[in-house]
Amino acid sequence: MKIAIVGSGYVGLVTGACFSEVGINVVCVDIDSKKIENLNNGIIPIYEPGLEDMVVRNMKKGRLSFTTNIAEAVKECEVLFISVGTPPDEDGSADLKYVVSVARDCGKNMEDYLLVVTKSTVPVGTSEKVRKAIQEELDKRNVAIEFDVASNPEFLKEGAAIADFLKPDRIVIGLDSPKAEDIMKSLYKPFTLNGHPTIFMDIVSAEMTKYAANSMLATKISFINDIANLCELVGADINLVRRGIGSDTRIGHKFIYPGIGYGGSCFPKDVQALIRTGDDYKYNLRILKAVEEVNNDQKTIIFDKIKKYFNGDLANKTIALWGLSFKPQTDDMREAPSLIIVKKLLEAGAKVNVYDPVAMKEAKHHFGDSVTYFEDQHEALIDADCLAILTEWPEFKFPSFKIIKKLLKSPAVFDGRNIYDKAEMKQNDFDYFCIGVDTQK
């Protein structure tokens, strides 16, 4: 079987690499000729642990290739995955122009049966738009070629995407054709041999499952952050509360870590898109609107704490920031809290020193010359008035507190991810501030 994956971004590239890893012939298509040229030279456009080795290995074995020629890819494949971007419009709805464009390319170029699978995160009803666009192009050609449409949403965590694809919690597939079901079963057989469940359902339900899953996780994050803020006011310790409620198997420990809000390419966009879908159907998704509001407010928490510590005057203060990506093990800064925090610090007149293990190149696209970049985490602290932790990279978790204190002008640490222990920081004579704990009592 030969498959094509249109869109060589995060989802498309991981999907193509992992399918080729189990012996399937894959061609990845993208309109960005520079990206394709780089990929053919083994240059990966994103940071994802293990991805570069997998791509290079399968290219050498002839199972993975890259092209800008979508017409040729459509003619040669039996299954085509749409993995293009669906950026949010100003009203929060997903922009489907790239998805529909790929569908039209399928209708213009297919010569035999084709199964078109939406892998991109798309609103409910998108598969019907895909089906319509394909059929319209076939009608223009005055040809009758059989095709099916399916939905196969991805559930990949940035930083662990390879493991998530190769050993999935579940595989969700929406379809309405026995032939399409047989093809998808065959395609995913290497990933289900160890008992990983494949859940077949109708297409609309599959589309909704992706949005509902991400919105549920976003809800847990905003919930624990709301509780953390209350804990700080009443004198409770959110770290203890989290352990107490997480031990309930109905709740669990995952996604109830307090912090400075969620970011990335999925949660913010998907919550907005689902809210918009509700509005389109005249249904008010009140909980999700609150989730979004809490998250937006949470991204300013660390800035507010820093400003209060310096009595509201940040003019000419130097703030050192460790971590810029929205989470560890990725260079992705889309919707990262660091974007908001840096903006507010600069607006308040502060100077900003930044360090991140992998996101420095990406940071320069966002901040330009407005901040000072450092290739060493400790150099970023020299003569800084305080340190703020924005991303919980492993290398930040066990630092030399003696070195930190020696380099900083003020012994102040603002921990946006609660990676340090309150008692230990107090023992080292730091002014320590985190999320959901009154560290000053």
Side-chain angles (χ1 to χ4, degrees):
M1 182 185 299
K2 185 170 185 177
I3 68 173
I5 298 174
V6 183
S8 297
Y10 187 86
V11 173
L13 191 54
V14 171
T15 300
C18 289
F19 272 134
S20 67
E21 183 74 2
V22 297
I24 296 169
N25 289 320
V26 181
V27 56
C28 291
V29 186
D30 202 286
I31 61 173
D32 187 335
S33 58
K34 182 61 177 178
K35 180 189 289 186
I36 293 299
E37 180 185 349
N38 285 339
L39 284 166
N40 280 320
N41 290 319
I43 301 172
I44 309 301
I46 59 174
Y47 176 83
E48 178 64 33
L51 181 59
E52 182 176 351
D53 289 342
M54 184 177 286
V55 168
V56 172
R57 179 170 60 252
N58 285 286
M59 285 176 62
K60 289 180 178 178
K61 293 184 177 181
R63 295 194 295 248
L64 180 62
S65 60
F66 301 94
T67 184
T68 57
N69 191 335
I70 188 170
E72 183 179 334
V74 169
K75 292 172 183 177
E76 293 181 353
C77 72
E78 183 178 355
V79 183
L80 182 141
F81 286 87
I82 301 177
S83 298
V84 296
T86 54
D89 280 337
E90 291 183 7
D91 63 359
S93 61
D95 186 347
L96 298 177
K97 63 184 177 184
Y98 303 114
V99 172
V100 173
S101 176
V102 174
R104 293 199 177 280
D105 283 331
C106 291
K108 290 175 182 176
N109 296 286
M110 57 190 290
E111 297 176 344
D112 202 350
Y113 172 84
L114 183 65
L115 172 57
V116 180
V117 185
T118 53
K119 195 74 173 170
S120 303
T121 300
V122 294
V124 172
T126 298
S127 290
E128 284 309 306
K129 294 181 180 179
V130 168
R131 191 191 307 273
K132 181 181 177 182
I134 295 172
Q135 189 59 57
E136 285 177 351
E137 296 301 325
L138 290 175
D139 292 343
K140 290 177 183 177
R141 296 167 57 194
N142 197 28
V143 294
I145 303 175
E146 183 187 3
F147 71 94
D148 282 310
V149 172
S151 173
N152 177 212
E154 54 85 16
F155 299 97
L156 305 177
K157 297 187 295 292
E158 292 193 41
I162 299 296
D164 284 346
F165 199 102
L166 296 178
K167 298 178 180 179
D169 291 329
R170 79 290 200 195
I171 300 167
V172 173
I173 301 173
L175 36 74
D176 55 11
S177 152
K179 184 173 184 177
E181 182 172 345
D182 288 343
I183 291 172
M184 294 300 282
K185 282 181 178 178
S186 175
L187 189 61
Y188 274 107
K189 185 176 180 180
F191 306 98
T192 59
L193 292 175
N194 292 326
H196 303 295
T198 301
I199 305 171
F200 288 98
M201 59 182 70
D202 63 272
I203 295 174
V204 172
S205 296
E207 292 172 335
M208 179 61 80
T209 296
K210 169 63 176 180
Y211 278 105
N214 279 354
S215 295
M216 181 70 243
L217 297 176
T219 299
K220 292 184 73 173
I221 293 171
S222 282
F223 173 81
I224 202 65
N225 281 333
D226 228 8
I227 296 298
N229 296 336
L230 182 59
C231 282
E232 200 166 326
L233 294 173
V234 304
D237 186 329
I238 188 60
N239 297 313
L240 301 177
V241 173
R242 180 186 64 79
R243 289 169 58 190
I245 66 173
S247 60
D248 186 328
T249 56
R250 295 170 300 175
I251 298 173
H253 290 285
K254 294 182 178 180
F255 287 85
I256 58 169
Y257 287 86
I260 52 177
Y262 59 76
S265 63
C266 295
F267 288 4
K269 175 172 68 70
D270 294 354
V271 169
Q272 289 176 15
L274 193 52
I275 289 172
R276 176 63 183 181
T277 298
D279 291 343
D280 289 343
Y281 284 84
K282 304 296 188 294
Y283 185 79
N284 184 19
L285 287 165
R286 292 159 291 175
I287 291 176
L288 285 190
K289 289 179 179 179
V291 165
E292 186 177 42
E293 182 181 356
V294 169
N295 192 64
N296 290 336
D297 289 345
Q298 199 69 17
K299 291 182 178 182
T300 69
I301 289 290
I302 283 293
F303 169 79
D304 294 337
K305 290 177 183 289
I306 295 173
K307 187 175 180 180
K308 182 179 179 181
Y309 179 78
F310 290 108
N311 299 314
D313 184 11
L314 293 178
N316 297 317
K317 298 294 184 184
T318 299
I319 314 300
L321 303 181
W322 281 1
L324 300 171
S325 57
F326 85 95
K327 63 180 287 189
Q329 306 303 328
T330 181
D331 62 351
D332 195 344
M333 289 182 60
R334 286 173 290 182
E335 302 289 339
S338 63
L339 299 176
I340 301 297
I341 294 167
V342 168
K343 179 182 178 182
K344 293 186 77 67
L345 287 171
L346 293 173
E347 289 175 345
K351 299 176 182 178
V352 181
N353 295 349
V354 301
Y355 169 78
D356 188 284
V358 303
M360 299 295 276
K361 182 178 179 180
E362 183 64 24
K364 292 177 181 177
H365 294 309
H366 293 278
F367 304 137
D369 298 328
S370 65
V371 303
T372 304
Y373 304 91
F374 291 85
E375 296 300 323
D376 178 86
Q377 67 191 76
H378 292 114
E379 288 182 2
L381 304 180
I382 297 174
D383 291 330
D385 291 279
C386 70
L387 165 65
I389 313 293
L390 305 188
T391 312
E392 64 277 30
W393 283 94
E395 65 190 73
F396 301 156
K397 293 183 178 180
F398 297 98
S400 170
F401 291 118
K402 288 183 178 179
I403 293 178
I404 293 176
K405 192 172 182 182
K406 180 180 179 181
L407 295 175
L408 288 175
K409 291 167 65 176
S410 307
V413 174
F414 297 84
D415 184 357
R417 299 298 180 178
N418 287 17
I419 62 176
Y420 299 140
D421 179 71
K422 170 185 171 181
E424 184 178 9
M425 298 302 284
K426 187 174 182 179
Q427 183 181 347
N428 284 280
D429 295 321
F430 278 100
D431 293 331
Y432 175 66
F433 305 88
C434 61
I435 309 298
V437 182
D438 183 357
T439 57
Q440 304 307 297
K441 69 176 184 178

